[in-house]
Every structure is written in structure tokens, then in C-alpha cells.
Amino acid sequence: MLPVADALRLIRDALRPVPAEVVSLDQAWGRVLATDVEARLTHPPVAVSAMDGYAVRAADVATVPATLLVVGAAAAGQGIARALGPGEAVRILTGAPVPDGADAIVIQEDAELEGNHVTFRVAPKLGRFIRPAGLDFKMGDRLLKTGQALGARDVALCAAMNVPWLTVRRRPRVAVLATGSELRMPGEPLDGSRIVNSNSFLVASAVRALGGEPIALGIAADEEASLRAAFEAAAGADLLITLGGASVGDRDLVRPVLEQEGGTVIFQNLAMRPGKPTLFGRLGPLPVLGLPGNPVSVGVSAVVFLKPMLAALAGLDGAFDQEETTLLGRDLPGNDGRQDYLRSTLALDASGNRVATPYPQQDSAMLRLLAAADCLVIRPPHAPPAHAGEPVPILRFDTAGPAV
């Protein structure tokens, strides 16, 4: 059986980012940049006031109290037409252009206006409360990089940079195919031999959460013709996910039909639990990930494989770097030759440390615990017994992108 780390390397080497497209800024959240983004202006474009108050020449108020003549007012986007002369001040609001000749701002709380004269009680330092031109960024500055997922702050930065359109990777299209003559859709009549298809909904929801577009191919019966027709319907997708039928039983037809259609299998069967009967291959240019029919195995594989695959197709930097380290919440026995993924809760202890506590039951038929879990604790093959408080690697279940 192939180690999981080797499987991930083979998958990574086989994937290429999807083509790019141009989107408007209001559609850019969560997308991955296909080009660097440069500022199209300088911000601020001129020196501006950081506070409401008065623009002055610092030399005129070096000794206080000092009284100056108010010769105008400046607001955001609207300055005064002339330079400030000796003994003069300008009423100024936050964000307003600083008049030529002014080199400090006195806040309004430290000034007393009477008629067209203002008296200052505090001597400002040179440059006080003035934001110089280009303080934030300058035209041509490259502030966002290729391979970066755009969060809310990044989108705001693009807007401030005067960039209305962005070149991003197209959302990966993922065809989702459940296999099994015994499967029925939720709400359909069932008898004792039928099983509700939950896997398609799990994978399609995960694809959406990960920034992709699921393509529902429905359920293929355990017949070569049915599976062959479904494979043909996946044309145009960027990834095909099959659910069930990837093992080596008489009714496991994914591999035989894939090879009959000219596809290739890169690996099958992994040293992992749950999820051993996992297949990866190609159908022409289309990558194919064959997952087991067990819903818990599918949920685990969605984190272990599908999450980095979608990120890689979207061109996201560090797509396969998703492990974190936290503390273990309870003792665990030594492991055998398969890499274990233990459904676990994640919480903070009294010292503020993150602690992952595996559920006592890890039966792969228990979908309820999969839904309740926060993360997977990873137990490498042949790992010795582990004790509470020791560091352990985890994979989070959350699929949130760059929310803010």
C-alpha cells in the first residue's frame, strides 16, 4: 500500500492550475490571483491632514499662546488655491490636502476660534498630523502577488489602488459521481437493501466551500455502460471525483472502465485509515480521484486530498501545506502500519493552548461523529503510544477561505 505522503506528491505533480479569467472587483473575494497587482495611483496622492484642526507653519506657533489669521478652509478632496503665508492658518478637516507652506496641524481641541482669528495653546512639532504623499503606497507598487487568495482586506486594498478588474484563476469545475445500484437520493423510497446517497452532497458542498463549482453527475449503476456514460458526461471538468467502486471487488468498476476508456491509474489503495481504497488517475487530461463509498472515508479524504487539490487547481500558493500542530487531549495507543486520521474535537485549555481530543470511538460508519468533529489528529504509521499534552499534527475540517 502506498503511503499517504507519496500519494500527495503524485497528486501534486499531476495537477496544473486552471486557466485565468478577468473578474470585476465585486466578484474577487476568495479568488486566487493569476497575476501580480500593481497600484494605479499614489495614496494619498498629496500630503493630507490626519485630524480635524488647523494647518499652520510650525514656526508661527513655536511660542504659545499664538494667534493667527484664518485665511480659508480645506475639506477632503478640496484644498485652497494659494500657499500659506506667515501669520496665517487654514481650517482643515481630516483627509483634506495640506496647503503649500503649511508644515504642521494643530488639532481643534487645542485651538480657540474667535471671528477670523484662531489662538493656539499647544506648539505642534514639525510634520505633526500630516500624512505625506505616498504614505500608504505609490503608483507602480506591487502589493498583491500571484497565487494569493483574496480576502476582504485585499479586495479593499485593490479598490484603494484604483484597480477595478483582476486576473484570477477560474473556479475549478469538479464533476461528482456516486456509484452503486443500491444508492437512492434523500427522500426517495427505501427498502432494507437501499442506502441514502450522502456522499455526493458532502463532496459538492466541500467543493463549493473550497471555491470550486460542483457538477452533479448523479448516480451510476454497477454496470459498465452506466459508468462509461457518466465518464463521458464529465468532459470539460477540471477534476472528476468518483464515490464508491474504487476497490477491487466484483462490482468495483471504476478502475476497469477507466482503463477501458483509455485512462491510466497512477495509484490505488493507500496505507491510511479510513480511506484505504482510494484511487487516483487520469482520463485523458482529466484527473480522476476515486474515493471509497464509506461516508466517513469520503469526509476524511475531502480534507486530506480534495482540499489541497482544489487549492492547487486554483493556483493557490502552499496548496499542500495544511498540517498544523496542537496538543493531544488524551492518551493514544501505538499505531500499526496505516496512517490514522482520528476525528477529534478542538478546544482551548486553561492556559490558552489548543488541544485536540480524539473521540473514543472511531468506527468509520459513524457519520455523526464526522459532522461533530473539528479536526483530524494524524497518527503516522507505526507511531508509538502518545500521551496527553504531547504535540500532534492535525488537519482542520474548516474550509474557510480568506474571510477577512
Side-chain angles (χ1 to χ4, degrees):
M1 292 184 292
L2 186 70
V4 175
D6 292 344
L8 288 170
R9 279 194 291 270
L10 289 170
I11 291 173
R12 180 192 61 200
D13 293 343
L15 298 180
R16 298 294 179 270
V18 298
E21 63 181 3
V22 177
V23 300
S24 60
L25 196 57
D26 63 344
Q27 299 297 313
W29 179 90
R31 305 298 291 273
V32 178
L33 287 172
T35 60
D36 295 348
V37 183
E38 296 183 356
R40 300 176 63 202
L41 49 69
T42 295
H43 183 245
V46 297
V48 297
S49 177
M51 302 289 285
D52 291 344
Y54 294 87
V56 299
R57 300 183 343 143
D60 288 341
V61 288
T63 302
V64 292
T67 301
L68 304 179
L69 175 65
V70 179
V71 296
Q78 181 180 355
I80 65 170
R82 70 177 185 84
L84 196 66
E88 296 178 339
V90 168
R91 174 70 171 136
I92 196 166
L93 301 181
T94 301
V98 176
D100 290 342
D103 54 19
I105 305 296
V106 180
I107 60 174
Q108 60 188 19
E109 292 84 353
D110 294 331
E112 183 176 343
L113 180 65
E114 187 173 341
N116 61 351
H117 286 82
V118 59
T119 299
F120 302 104
R121 305 182 191 86
V122 175
K125 295 180 179 179
L126 193 67
R128 182 65 167 164
F129 297 128
I130 292 178
R131 294 177 177 141
L135 173 66
D136 198 359
F137 52 79
K138 296 179 175 60
M139 181 181 291
D141 283 353
R142 192 169 298 176
L143 302 181
L144 297 169
K145 303 295 184 181
T146 301
Q148 177 177 344
L150 295 168
R153 290 169 291 165
D154 304 312
V155 174
L157 178 59
C158 289
M161 293 160 64
N162 199 30
V163 177
W165 301 90
L166 292 168
T167 302
V168 298
R169 295 292 175 186
R170 174 174 52 74
R171 293 190 185 277
R173 297 188 290 257
V174 181
V176 182
L177 173 66
T179 70
S181 300
E182 76 282 7
L183 295 178
R184 295 293 182 268
M185 295 299 285
E188 290 185 343
L190 300 173
D191 58 35
S193 63
R194 306 303 180 184
I195 299 173
V196 175
N197 172 29
S198 61
N199 288 337
S200 294
F201 295 92
L202 190 160
V203 172
S205 298
V207 168
R208 289 190 187 94
L210 294 165
E213 295 179 354
I215 302 169
L217 298 184
I219 300 171
D222 292 322
E223 303 168 359
E224 291 185 1
S226 180
L227 199 57
R228 190 174 295 112
F231 282 0
E232 292 173 359
D238 302 304
L239 173 65
L240 170 61
I241 304 291
T242 64
L243 303 166
S247 191
V248 293
D250 292 342
R251 302 181 73 182
D252 292 311
L253 301 177
V254 170
R255 179 169 188 162
V257 174
L258 181 67
E259 293 177 332
Q260 290 169 19
E261 293 298 298
T264 58
V265 173
I266 297 173
F267 65 73
Q268 184 177 19
N269 288 339
L270 300 179
M272 67 181 291
R273 182 176 38 241
K276 173 187 172 183
T278 294
L279 173 151
F280 179 68
R282 302 194 77 90
L283 183 58
L286 177 65
V288 179
L289 179 66
L291 299 180
N294 185 302
V296 173
S297 298
V298 173
V300 169
S301 295
V303 178
V304 177
F305 299 112
L306 184 58
K307 186 175 181 180
M309 290 176 75
L310 264 291
L313 288 171
L316 187 67
D317 283 344
F320 284 80
D321 301 327
Q322 57 172 339
E323 285 189 16
E324 304 175 41
T325 300
T326 188
L327 301 181
L328 184 61
R330 68 178 182 87
D331 293 349
L332 295 174
N335 195 20
D336 60 14
R338 286 200 278 170
Q339 183 150 301
D340 258 350
Y341 292 89
L342 305 178
R343 287 157 286 169
S344 307
T345 60
L346 196 59
L348 296 178
D349 65 12
S351 300
N353 300 309
R354 289 186 309 168
V355 177
T357 304
Y359 289 109
Q361 291 180 293
Q362 292 290 326
D363 192 296
S364 61
M366 299 180 70
L367 186 56
R368 174 178 59 84
L369 294 185
L370 178 71
D374 302 307
C375 66
L376 297 169
V377 166
I378 304 172
R379 296 283 286 147
H382 307 295
H387 303 286
E390 294 180 353
V392 289
I394 66 167
L395 295 176
R396 287 179 181 264
F397 270 117
D398 71 85
T399 54
V404 179

